[in-house]
Amino acid sequence: MKLSVIGCGYVGLVTGACFAEIGHEVVCLDINKTKLKELSRGNIPFHERGLKKIVLNGIKNKRLSFSSSYKKASLSDIIFICVDTPMGSNGEPDLRNFYNVRDSLKQHFDSDKIIVIKSTVPLGTNKKLADYFNKYTLNKNYMISVCSNPEFLKEGDAVNDFMKPDRIVIGCDEENITLIINKLYKNLNIAKKKFIFMSPQSAELTKYASNSFLATKISFINEISRVADHIGADMHQVKDGMGSDERIGHDFLNAGLGFGGSCFPKDLAALNAYQRKNKISSGLLEQTVKVNSDQIKYFIKKIQNEYLLDLKNQRILVWGAAFKPNTDDLRESMSIKAVKKLSTLANHLYLYDPLCRKSKILKELKNLKNITVLDKKYSSDKRVKCLLICTEFDEFKELNFKLLNGYKIFDGRNILNRNKVEKNGIEYFGIGT
Ligand code: UGA
């Protein structure tokens, strides 16, 4: 089938490249021409495992192309909207990009189209768009149908998530359209039961509820971790004990610095804004956000306590800048938040991230003079005796104990084994461990 994908960010690029990989002919559109030029050469502007390979593959077999022309994109019968919907004022998503896409596309329409919304949009947006196009096409000889197909891709594992999804949600009130979208995924050869058909409203809410639930699970376990610190329990053991109940499960029960990224904070804010606007009683989601922002204060307090509340002579090594491992994404990163706060308290910080470019980190940390971004894991500054682990990259689990002689380690992601670290004469502080 011929498809267009509007927006070459994480979601759009992965969607477009994966659809091309499973046999469709895909045009990916973006308004950023420099980005398009790079993409046409197979240069991906961010780190995403396995993406480059399938983009190059798609270009080579001519199933994947890039364009900035809405006229060209509007020629496909099925058009996916994958533009970003950033957090606007009051927590509501800013839909300017989304509506620009609608308006840029519609002027080229002259035959039936299906618009599939993959962007995470405020509740009710699918219906609004469908109503809009019903009116718009009243005196025209074609129809524009709207369908919700939310994305559940995890950054860093997005290609795998697309190819082997847990579920594919299709939210549409028109049966024939649902069948067409269903068919698009046929070549994935996944079990029938993984396709879940529902109304557009349910699909939109499924997306918000899923992310909010996962975020709440993290805040829950982080709240428990503070109790564990108090009583001397170990969160690794508690997680094991809790997660073994199949109803609870082990996933998203890692206590630590809390969640970041471009999705959880934005989606929680959006759902919460909807509750407020529509006077729907609420409380849980606000607390999820509060526990998350308190967690970073809790971590910094833990460090301060070990230095008798005085960090001003401390030179600190920090591992991890990205909001999670296997990505170079710094958006809403807990590490960046911790580093910004600590730069006001400590003497100097050395920051190392295995994937994120130095220039990108420096840009994020703009005016902070007392931070050096390292291109290797250890600092040669002998005055550094404190290590913070802020992102759970696998490579941080391997330590060179000789180089860490005399250090205190504050493990903000609970990835190290306390006994092993302490056996090597190093002081260890986890979160609820
Ligand atoms: C999240 C969802 O997991 C995806 O299903 C969804 O499609 C995506 O948002 C989206 O809406 O686009 P992502 O933002 O890539 O994906 O990140 P996650 O892997 O969910 O991790 C989020 C944060 O939670 C990270 O900062 C991670 O370090 C933290 N986390 C995760 C914990 O603190 N503890 C855990 O046990 C798990």
Side-chain angles (χ1 to χ4, degrees), residues 1 24 170 178-187 195:
M1 287 184 187
H24 300 296
I170 301 177
T178 302
L179 289 176
I180 295 172
I181 302 307
N182 190 3
K183 231 169 122 185
L184 278 183
Y185 290 96
K186 202 176 123 232
N187 288 352
F195 288 95

Side-chain angles (χ1 to χ4, degrees), residues 11 120 151-156 167 207 211 214 218 221-222 251-264 267 323-325 334 392 413:
V11 176
T120 303
E151 59 90 12
F152 298 103
L153 309 173
K154 298 183 292 296
E155 276 183 34
R167 80 290 212 191
K207 168 69 196 212
N211 274 3
L214 290 171
I218 297 170
I221 208 67
N222 281 338
D251 291 342
F252 280 71
L253 283 186
N254 298 319
L257 277 180
F259 59 82
S262 65
C263 305
F264 285 178
D267 292 354
F323 83 95
K324 70 169 192 178
M334 283 310 207
E392 58 274 40
R413 294 294 177 181

